[in-house]
Amino acid sequence: MKLIFRVVTALVLTVVLLAALVLLLPGEKIARLAADQLQAQTGRTLAFGGKVRFTFWPTLGVKADAVTLSNAEWAGPEPMLQAERLTIGISAAELLQGDVRITEVSAILPHLNLATNAEGVGNWVMDGGAGGGTGGSASGGTGSGGTSDGDSSGSALPLRIEAVELTGASLRYAAHGAAPVEMKNIDLSLLWPDPAGTAAVKATLRPAGEPVAVDAEIGTFAAFLAGEVSSVGASVTAPGGKGRFDGHADINGEASGRLTFGAQDALQTGVALGVFLPDALAQKAVFAADVTYTADGRLSMRDLAVELGANRLTGAADVEFKERPSITAQLQGGALDVSGFAAGQSSGSGAGGGGSGSAGSGWPDDPIDASALGLADAAIDLSFDSLSTGGVNLGASKLNLTMERSRAVLKFLPASMFGGQVQGQVVANNRSGLSVGGKLTFTGIRLERALGETAGYSRLNGEALGELEFLGSGKSVKAIMRSLSGKGWLEAGKGFFTGFDLEELMRSGGNGGSTVFDQLTASYTIKDGNLRNKDLLVLLKGFRAEGKGRIGLGARDIDYLFSPQLVRAGRDQVLTIPVRIKGSWDNPDIRPDFGQALQPKIDEIEQEAKDRVRQKLSEELNTEIAPEQDLNDALKQRIEQEARDQLLKLLGGD
């Protein structure tokens, strides 16, 4: 809106200046004298490269070809204005009465080269190379600043411009410190019947080829041109949408008032305005706010309401436009759905239901574009009733997002997700390569939702609490998952595993079914994308199970050993048949490990045999053999002792 105001007013102001100064001096030398007058008062050079033709009655008119108006010294050597033809008409009868009523100002194929300097002053402000001002015609609309016969000491003539029309205009606008904006094929018309009253402006801009119509009313237009604040009402109509501003503004772009916008297709409207928008914005959009914009680049929005599709946000926001914009906002929403904005959704990145069972097929390997983290600095508070992201779904939550120099911190204060509550923060840092990390505590979350929505694993069901710290880095989701490190713990009440039934496995080795547990506790560490655990404890009806092993977060595989212990009724014997889970998350192989199950019994039988041999040897050798003593050593010592005894007898000993 600021750019549109400046384009329209600068176009009008430039033509008004030319009209006021070219038409002061009737006669054969009008062109040269007008150019001299303009240069004397503004320091600008007006040149006519083609013919200058005149009419005298009933309309005093001039048509000049190849007209150029020089630029401000600080704005460069290119002319501020060039036009193939400039036509100006005056009511001759009223001119004889001392009243200058301009009935027509038109330009064909004009080109405007507009700019602002470090102080925010535009090159269309002509404060005079000789100390003169812009003249009463440009600033106050009540006089022209010139006299008949070229005498600059005469009194000013009253000036009225009834109509201005530009056809096929082009524009280059370079605000200080910003990239130039160029537009072509601009049409403009202005009706200003009362010098002290309202001007009606109509313009057609084509920033991206499609026509964008501007229809504005500027109260006390003469004062507006002089830099004073005036009432402004403007409508902007583009393909797919329409905006409206009602308030006050000045020629430097400062404005305050109510801004509204509505579009059936926000993407179509954005494309017509030359603004890049994501495809997800191809839906109905509504915007309304009380806005205030200041010359130093600060935009304030109060009583803000935004609707996009079924999403609605209200609140307030402030934006400071600088090299890296700074945004502060407090927003509230209802049921929000931003799943359409989720980029890079891959069929292989889903929640473990792919069915291929390939360990490496899960995580996307496409490069992540995290450049958006450096587009702006921000401090945004957001609360909502629910939020669907296309991956993780949240309930009523309060979030805080801060962004500073390509580093974003999202705080959960708390957030309702996975059926419970999560507190803590997640950090994304793109200052020297992308890394993500966080520290979260959670209570009452559903494990099947948490593991399913974040890691694509939904075989573990139950309500849990715990803590998680993690850190990963890389250029893709796959690289980040394979680099993860961290630690954590969790505790769960009643729940179940799907895919195997421990009781059935222990009875017959069968597979399938579910295992119901009463309690689960575990701690874990993460390194190089592998989660390792040594102290899993699961309490089940009639027995307990311990577990240890590796879960490949990066490779999406598992190698884990459950060791259930079943106490036989009325006996002290404990039956243990470990269950090994190995393979991909999608289709792991789950079967009892009989080697692990028989090993304790084999060890028991072996020990019992050793004890019997030790007892027999003790009886035969008539020597006590200690349990810790090696049987071979004991037998060797007994043989050596017997040999010594027999040798002594042979030599005549006892």
Side-chain angles (χ1 to χ4, degrees):
M1 185 64 71
K2 170 189 172 184
L3 176 59
I4 292 173
F5 277 137
R6 288 198 172 185
V7 169
V8 172
T9 54
L11 288 169
V12 172
L13 177 58
T14 303
V15 175
V16 169
L17 284 168
L18 289 175
L21 295 171
V22 171
L23 291 174
L24 299 177
L25 303 171
E28 295 181 358
K29 299 180 180 180
I30 184 173
R32 181 178 59 81
L33 293 176
D36 292 343
Q37 180 77 351
L38 178 64
Q39 186 168 14
Q41 293 196 21
T42 69
R44 305 292 181 90
T45 300
L46 177 67
F48 302 93
K51 295 181 179 179
V52 179
R53 298 174 295 278
F54 302 96
T55 60
F56 296 97
W57 195 270
T59 299
L60 177 64
V62 58
K63 291 184 179 180
D65 294 338
V67 179
T68 61
L69 177 65
S70 67
N71 216 332
E73 292 183 1
W74 54 265
E78 294 295 323
M80 188 191 81
L81 170 70
Q82 302 177 70
E84 291 297 317
R85 173 169 294 178
L86 180 66
T87 300
I88 302 174
I90 304 177
S91 171
E94 295 183 60
L95 181 63
L96 294 176
Q97 301 174 7
D99 185 9
V100 180
R101 181 168 67 89
I102 300 176
T103 59
E104 175 191 6
V105 175
S106 64
I108 298 176
L109 299 179
H111 175 70
L112 282 154
N113 182 24
L114 306 179
T116 59
N117 60 19
E119 289 73 35
V121 178
N123 62 339
W124 58 86
V125 178
M126 302 184 192
D127 52 5
T134 61
S137 61
S139 59
T142 59
S144 62
T147 65
S148 61
D149 300 325
D151 183 3
S152 61
S153 63
S155 60
L157 295 175
L159 173 63
R160 284 189 294 154
I161 299 178
E162 292 187 353
V164 176
E165 186 165 351
L166 305 181
T167 304
S170 60
L171 167 74
R172 184 180 188 274
Y173 177 67
H176 180 75
V181 175
E182 297 192 27
M183 294 186 188
K184 296 181 179 180
N185 201 12
I186 301 171
D187 299 326
L188 178 140
S189 66
L190 177 142
L191 296 177
W192 188 19
D194 182 359
T198 299
V201 181
K202 294 182 181 293
T204 301
L205 312 176
R206 297 173 177 84
E210 294 290 330
V212 177
V214 180
D215 191 348
E217 312 86 32
I218 305 175
T220 58
F221 187 54
F224 179 79
L225 294 177
E228 298 181 17
V229 176
S230 299
S231 61
V232 173
S235 297
V236 179
T237 305
K242 182 176 182 179
R244 177 72 188 179
F245 174 81
D246 290 287
H248 295 81
D250 65 22
I251 199 170
N252 294 318
E254 292 198 343
S256 64
R258 187 68 176 175
L259 178 63
T260 58
F261 169 80
Q264 291 299 318
D265 187 334
L267 177 61
Q268 180 186 12
T269 305
V271 170
L273 294 174
V275 179
F276 172 78
L277 297 173
D279 293 341
L281 286 177
Q283 53 186 309
K284 181 180 179 180
V286 177
F287 173 92
D290 294 328
V291 300
T292 300
Y293 183 81
T294 59
D296 59 354
R298 298 175 185 270
L299 174 64
S300 165
M301 293 175 282
R302 298 294 182 266
D303 193 18
L304 171 66
V306 181
E307 293 183 20
L308 181 61
N311 298 309
R312 177 177 172 83
L313 289 172
T314 60
D318 294 287
V319 182
E320 183 178 355
F321 294 97
K322 47 187 179 180
E323 183 177 356
R324 186 171 59 248
S326 178
I327 304 170
T328 304
Q330 299 82 39
L331 303 173
Q332 301 83 41
L336 305 179
D337 185 351
V338 297
S339 56
F341 293 89
Q345 292 292 332
S346 169
S347 60
S349 66
S356 67
S358 173
S361 65
W363 303 120
D365 201 20
D366 300 329
I368 298 174
D369 183 4
S371 59
L373 294 175
L375 295 179
D377 293 337
I380 301 173
D381 291 319
L382 173 63
S383 59
F384 48 79
D385 296 334
S386 65
L387 173 65
S388 175
T389 67
V392 176
N393 297 317
L394 285 73
S397 304
K398 183 177 182 180
L399 310 180
N400 171 262
L401 173 66
T402 58
M403 295 174 58
E404 182 182 8
R405 297 187 298 110
S406 299
R407 182 178 184 270
V409 179
L410 179 62
K411 295 181 180 180
F412 304 104
L413 301 171
S416 297
M417 63 176 71
F418 314 131
Q421 285 197 332
V422 177
Q423 288 185 295
Q425 66 180 32
V426 175
V427 179
N429 191 335
N430 196 40
R431 291 175 180 173
S432 56
L434 179 62
S435 65
V436 294
K439 182 175 182 179
L440 304 170
T441 60
F442 49 89
T443 58
I445 69 165
R446 298 297 307 180
L447 289 171
E448 67 275 16
R449 288 185 56 185
L451 296 176
E453 293 178 19
T454 60
Y457 185 82
S458 56
R459 295 179 179 271
L460 176 58
N461 295 259
E463 186 176 295
L465 59 89
E467 185 175 292
L468 168 65
E469 292 185 42
F470 68 95
L471 177 65
S473 62
K475 297 181 179 180
S476 66
V477 174
K478 182 177 181 179
I480 291 172
M481 294 302 294
R482 289 180 177 270
S483 71
L484 282 177
S485 62
K487 62 180 180 179
W489 61 269
L490 65 86
E491 296 180 4
K494 290 186 177 182
F496 61 93
F497 298 94
T498 60
F500 64 95
D501 184 339
L502 278 178
E503 292 188 22
E504 180 67 21
L505 280 167
M506 295 174 69
R507 285 197 301 267
S508 62
N511 210 335
S514 300
T515 298
V516 179
F517 60 83
D518 294 324
Q519 185 179 356
L520 180 150
T521 62
S523 64
Y524 53 86
T525 60
I526 307 172
K527 184 178 180 181
D528 298 328
N530 290 298
L531 183 151
R532 298 185 185 275
N533 158 257
K534 299 179 180 179
D535 61 355
L536 175 68
L537 176 61
V538 183
L539 300 181
L540 305 97
K541 185 179 296 185
F543 60 98
R544 54 182 281 162
E546 297 177 352
K548 60 181 179 179
R550 178 189 65 84
I551 300 176
L553 301 176
R556 295 171 63 88
D557 65 353
I558 185 170
D559 185 1
Y560 206 85
L561 183 67
F562 276 104
S563 299
Q565 299 175 351
L566 176 62
V567 180
R568 292 183 177 179
R571 301 186 183 182
D572 294 334
Q573 288 183 303
V574 176
L575 176 63
T576 301
I577 301 181
V579 177
R580 184 168 293 277
I581 305 174
K582 191 171 184 178
S584 71
W585 290 357
D586 299 334
N587 189 26
D589 180 37
I590 306 172
R591 62 181 60 190
D593 191 334
F594 290 107
Q596 292 284 340
L598 294 175
Q599 188 62 46
K601 194 65 177 177
I602 293 173
D603 293 342
E604 180 182 344
I605 295 173
E606 181 180 350
Q607 185 62 43
E608 184 177 344
K610 288 181 179 180
D611 291 341
R612 290 179 179 178
V613 171
R614 180 179 291 106
Q615 182 179 359
K616 188 65 175 176
L617 284 175
S618 297
E619 294 174 355
E620 293 292 333
L621 298 176
N622 196 25
T623 301
E624 184 69 26
I625 300 175
E628 68 275 5
Q629 188 175 2
D630 185 84
L631 294 178
N632 291 326
D633 291 342
L635 183 59
K636 182 179 179 181
Q637 291 174 6
R638 186 71 182 100
I639 293 173
E640 290 175 349
Q641 182 63 41
E642 186 65 27
R644 284 195 297 270
D645 292 345
Q646 293 299 325
L647 181 61
L648 289 174
K649 288 181 180 181
L650 181 64
L651 294 176
D654 292 337

